Each structure stands twice: as C-alpha cells, then as structure tokens.
Amino acid sequence: MINDNNIISNNKFAYTTIMLIKQNIIKSIEPLHNPVTMIGLNKALRHRIFWSIFDKDFNKNYKQTYIYSSCDKLEIDKIKNRKVVIIENIELLIDNDVLQNKMKELLKKSFEQKIQIIICSNSNVEDLEIDESLKSKMLCGLVLHLK
C-alpha cells in the first residue's frame, strides 16, 4: 500500500513546487512558472499531493482562490479572480478540436490574467496527438515527471 509520505518523498520536487504555489497564493505573488505540467501517477495519487498541501486549514481561508476541474468541464469564465487553476484529464483533448480550442483560450486568458495553471496528465504530454501549438503552450513552463 502506498501512503502519502511515500508519494511525497518520491516526488519532492513536485511537492516543493506545489508548496511554492500555495505560498504565492497566500502572499498574492504572481506565478513563478506557467504552466506547471505534472506528468505521471494517476489522478488519485496526484490528489494526495495536492490535498496534502491544499489542506483543511488552507481551504478555510483560500478555497475561492483556486479551481480544480477536468479539462472538459472547466469553463473559461470560471477562472476569473482565481489564482490557480488545476486541470485534469487532458487526455480528453485528443481528437477533440473544440476542446483543444477551449484549452488554448483558457491558457491565453490565464497568462493574460497571471493565473497559475497546473496541467495534470497520466501520460506524457509530448506524446499526445494534439495541436502542436497547444502542446507547445502546455510544455513552455515547468514540467514535473511524477513517480
């Protein structure tokens, strides 16, 4: 059985990066690297990293500053006034031009509004068969390979 301590110790750089993002929210500092792309593990294990940082105490004061959503459910107008947007299930972009265009617009808005984007994927983004300009935007920041 994998416990949270093992996940964190195996992914110290990712954990530290998400911790810095949390500190930026608290201090109202602009994103350091945008976007941050987290590749690997599965959604449930990535959740353990996020929720060990965005814990109950943090959520009590800052819950409205971030949004966590699947890329197919995330609406562009919902990111306004957020500091962090965590996007899961980007594999849904494959063979979906409408969703790819939506993701391009979301990234554009987030860069303009200085919103930290965290993109999560089970598989390597470089291997996804999606528009090359979108892929380039998703990989232009910090890429974290989880194990």
Side-chain angles (χ1 to χ4, degrees):
M1 180 177 164
I2 299 175
N3 65 38
D4 290 352
N5 290 335
N6 288 343
I7 295 168
I8 291 167
S9 67
N10 289 338
N11 296 287
K12 287 181 184 175
F13 189 64
Y15 180 84
T16 302
T17 301
I18 303 303
M19 187 63 83
L20 286 172
I21 290 169
K22 174 183 175 179
Q23 293 303 314
N24 284 354
I25 292 171
I26 293 168
K27 295 176 182 176
S28 294
I29 299 174
E30 294 179 6
L32 294 173
H33 301 283
N34 215 5
V36 171
T37 303
M38 297 178 69
I39 299 169
L41 297 178
N42 62 40
K43 187 176 179 178
L45 295 177
R46 284 191 301 267
H47 272 209
R48 291 165 123 175
I49 294 172
F50 287 126
W51 305 140
S52 68
I53 296 169
F54 299 140
D55 57 14
K56 192 178 196 179
D57 291 334
F58 176 79
N59 283 340
K60 182 177 174 184
N61 296 313
Y62 298 98
K63 178 69 174 157
Q64 298 306 312
T65 63
Y66 71 93
I67 187 168
Y68 188 96
S69 180
S70 174
C71 73
D72 60 327
K73 295 186 175 39
L74 187 58
E75 296 301 325
I76 293 171
D77 62 329
K78 302 274 187 197
I79 70 166
K80 189 175 182 182
N81 300 322
R82 304 295 177 139
K83 296 195 185 275
V84 177
V85 177
I86 303 169
I87 306 169
E88 280 283 1
N89 303 328
I90 64 160
E91 293 82 5
L92 297 173
L93 296 170
I94 298 170
D95 296 326
N96 189 329
D97 292 338
V98 171
L99 199 53
Q100 287 183 45
N101 287 333
K102 180 179 166 183
M103 180 63 89
K104 285 180 192 176
E105 183 65 22
L106 182 115
L107 289 172
K108 180 182 174 202
K109 292 281 187 200
S110 67
F111 295 153
E112 289 170 357
Q113 297 174 17
K114 296 182 172 52
I115 299 168
Q116 176 69 61
I117 297 292
I118 302 174
I119 298 169
C120 302
S121 177
N122 295 344
S123 53
N124 195 334
V125 175
E126 292 174 357
D127 297 336
L128 296 178
E129 294 184 23
I130 59 174
D131 179 82
E132 287 300 318
S133 65
L134 174 59
K135 191 183 297 188
S136 176
K137 287 177 184 170
M138 292 169 59
L139 294 170
C140 72
L142 183 62
V143 179
L144 306 171
H145 292 272
L146 305 176
K147 51 185 172 176

